[in-house]
Amino acid sequence: ITPYSPLAGGRLSKPVGETSKRFLEDQYAKSKYDLTKEQDNIIIERVLELATKKNVTMTEISLAWLLSKGAIPVMGVTKLSHLEGIINTNNIQLTNKEISYLEEPYIPHKLVGILAENRG
């Protein structure tokens, strides 16, 4: 499985409330994530909590979760630190309890864009 938008448009790589140009301008991501923002923020806080506990980045925790599911995330890299984080992800092992902790508050997001338009 190759997940689309493995970091939820950057939301899984920054603490709740921290913003970026993409957060402010990406209307596609807003249409996908704004409806579940409150529930998603619970997950983002849990990602931050585990990242702090393991002394790694939120991105590394998010990608380690995807790898634990057998997914192969495709990442865009614009900085050397991004690449180093992706490589370090292979050294992170999440316990079943930590995986459940991340997944417990999740609710599915609505399909948007071409995925929503292609109904048959």
Side-chain angles (χ1 to χ4, degrees), residues 17 22 25-26 41 64 76 81 100 111 118:
R22 181 175 183 185
E25 296 179 0
D26 187 344
N41 284 348
S81 62
S100 293
L111 293 177
N118 186 10

Side-chain angles (χ1 to χ4, degrees), residues 81-98:
S81 62
H82 295 168
L83 181 59
E84 291 168 343
I86 291 167
I87 292 168
N88 188 49
T89 298
N90 292 309
N91 300 320
I92 299 170
Q93 294 296 315
L94 298 175
T95 66
N96 288 337
K97 186 176 179 180
E98 290 168 333

Side-chain angles (χ1 to χ4, degrees), residues 23-62:
F23 277 28
L24 299 173
E25 296 179 0
D26 187 344
Q27 294 304 314
Y28 179 80
K30 285 181 180 217
S31 70
K32 183 173 183 179
Y33 298 110
D34 279 1
L35 292 176
T36 56
K37 182 178 180 179
E38 192 173 311
Q39 201 69 18
D40 291 345
N41 284 348
I42 295 168
I43 297 168
I44 295 166
E45 292 289 348
R46 291 179 181 199
V47 169
L48 176 59
E49 180 184 332
L50 289 178
T52 301
K53 176 182 165 186
K54 293 181 178 286
N55 197 33
V56 297
T57 66
M58 291 176 69
T59 297
E60 291 168 293
I61 291 295
S62 300

